[in-house]
Amino acid sequence: MKRPQRRLPVQRVKQAATYDVAEIARLLGNHRNTVRRWLKDGLQPIDDARPVLVRGAELKAFLTERQKARRQTCAPDEFFCFRCRAPRRAAAGMVDVCHRTDAIAALTGLCATCGTTIHRTVRRATLPALAKTYDLQTLAPERLNGCSVPSLNGDLKGR
Ligand SMILES: [Zn+2]
């Protein structure tokens, strides 16, 4: 089922509660894989123990920042890092590029400040300018399956 980007019902999250991945998915009406992706993107669990538990206050802060980030304009060579909760440059100028469509490319790098994986979806027309700042590594076609990078600018991926 394809639907337009919707706002998450962040108000359902209780600050004082703790949630596991399945509970977060149920609460917000998301797939559990989406929640797992947030954990990779900087949503902080309480500790490293299994099952992963997240404090309501942390979840709320993460989602609020994420929705803000959609509207936030990073500089052309910046990515929004969800762990730093700020626009950051990619570490060592290295960025992986995955060509999603003729017009759109997904970029993946590591935050220069904290090392978290950072993503950005850009128009391919901007890549020559980015190549001046970053050493762009185009992913080989056989790796494209591992290239399901989340989009911050709305869901551009035809699912
Ligand atoms: Zn960071």
Side-chain angles (χ1 to χ4, degrees), residues 8-27:
L8 293 167
V10 176
Q11 73 281 359
R12 286 189 204 159
V13 178
K14 294 192 175 64
Q15 300 266 4
T18 54
Y19 301 97
D20 67 23
V21 168
E23 286 167 343
I24 295 170
R26 215 177 309 131
L27 188 70

Side-chain angles (χ1 to χ4, degrees), residues 81 83-84 88 111 113-116:
C81 173
R83 185 156 289 175
C84 295
R88 295 288 192 224
C111 172
T113 304
C114 74
T116 299

Side-chain angles (χ1 to χ4, degrees), residues 21-137:
V21 168
E23 286 167 343
I24 295 170
R26 215 177 309 131
L27 188 70
L28 299 175
N30 271 334
H31 197 278
R32 270 174 290 182
N33 286 345
T34 304
V35 180
R36 292 195 186 102
R37 203 172 67 203
W38 293 344
L39 288 162
K40 267 193 226 156
D41 283 353
L43 175 64
Q44 301 271 9
I46 290 172
D47 54 30
D48 294 334
R50 304 267 151 185
V52 171
L53 292 175
V54 177
R55 284 200 178 85
E58 161 66 17
L59 179 61
K60 215 168 192 151
F62 176 82
L63 294 175
T64 305
E65 286 299 326
R66 200 177 167 87
Q67 291 189 335
K68 238 193 276 171
R70 282 212 180 90
R71 296 190 296 268
Q72 176 149 355
T73 25
C74 293
D77 60 350
E78 284 178 333
F79 297 67
F80 192 87
C81 173
F82 287 102
R83 185 156 289 175
C84 295
R85 299 193 168 135
R88 295 288 192 224
R89 302 190 61 176
M94 297 275 283
V95 173
D96 283 341
V97 180
C98 173
H99 296 296
R100 287 260 199 78
T101 69
D102 287 346
I104 302 291
L107 307 181
T108 306
L110 294 176
C111 172
T113 304
C114 74
T116 299
T117 304
I118 46 182
H119 307 287
R120 183 166 184 185
T121 305
V122 298
R123 304 208 162 274
R124 283 176 63 170
T126 65
L127 292 177
L130 279 169
K132 289 180 190 153
T133 310
Y134 293 116
D135 183 8
L136 298 177
Q137 310 274 325

